[in-house]
Amino acid sequence: MQKVVKHIYKFKFFMIKAHTQFSHHPAGTVISIDCNFYRHVGMLAEYNAEGERLVFAFSAKANGFIEHSIEQFSEGKAIRIAGYFSQLPSHQVMKRALQWKGRPYSLFERNCEHFVRFAHNLAPTSPQLVYAGIALLTWFFTASCTNSIVSIPP
């Protein structure tokens, strides 16, 4: 099943390697990497003094906001371009992203998806958490229904 999903993503989204240049994508473009059970998202930022493209992200590892290179963000994995989520100019998206500096990470209130959506002036939600919750509830109710069947001995 996971292989099928990965093949669908390859056709649906443009896959690129971490070392590829991102010069034609504006700051604020949302990117992601596959972390097995979820996708970690971040945003392309501007270039540093050495000419290296930076990524703004919000992660549990950093306990919040982190600014790092594309290579550090990707951890050697393929990067997927998710797109530019709003009509805001890139400088406003970057300004809004920087407002999260110093805030601690929280899986349910301030994760990477909340971060990119907030920066784009969208409701800070986490679609992956919603999907995981639905899957968990479905599993729970399915399991509880199958366990409640009582067999009557002859």
Side-chain angles (χ1 to χ4, degrees):
M1 177 67 173
Q2 192 174 15
K3 284 186 177 183
V4 172
V5 172
K6 283 187 179 184
H7 289 297
I8 291 169
Y9 283 136
K10 285 182 183 178
F11 289 109
K12 192 172 180 183
F13 298 100
F14 179 58
M15 300 289 288
I16 48 181
K17 295 289 182 185
H19 64 274
T20 304
Q21 295 298 317
F22 292 86
S23 59
H24 58 286
H25 295 286
T29 298
V30 179
I31 60 175
S32 69
I33 59 169
D34 184 10
C35 295
N36 295 326
F37 298 108
Y38 68 97
R39 293 200 69 84
H40 178 53
V41 296
M43 290 184 301
L44 293 176
E46 298 298 338
Y47 293 85
N48 64 14
E50 292 81 34
E52 184 178 42
R53 191 70 185 261
L54 298 175
V55 175
F56 286 175
F58 207 80
S59 74
K61 288 179 188 176
N63 192 29
F65 181 88
I66 185 166
E67 181 178 337
H68 46 199
S69 70
I70 289 173
E71 287 77 17
Q72 290 168 324
F73 174 82
S74 74
E75 299 174 345
K77 300 171 186 171
I79 296 175
R80 182 173 81 189
I81 301 291
Y84 196 88
F85 286 9
S86 69
Q87 298 298 316
L88 289 178
S90 62
H91 71 276
Q92 285 184 342
V93 173
M94 294 293 95
K95 185 177 179 179
R96 289 181 59 82
L98 291 170
Q99 291 176 15
W100 276 39
K101 267 191 174 181
R103 292 185 184 184
Y105 178 89
S106 167
L107 177 62
F108 298 106
E109 295 175 359
R110 282 184 303 277
N111 67 31
C112 59
E113 288 184 303
H114 294 114
F115 170 68
V116 298
R117 292 179 61 80
F118 173 84
H120 279 276
N121 202 29
L122 301 171
T125 59
S126 181
Q128 291 183 94
L129 277 179
V130 172
Y131 299 144
I134 291 169
L136 186 61
L137 286 173
T138 302
W139 174 83
F140 175 76
F141 286 119
T142 303
S144 65
C145 288
T146 57
N147 289 337
S148 65
I149 297 174
V150 177
S151 62
I152 300 173

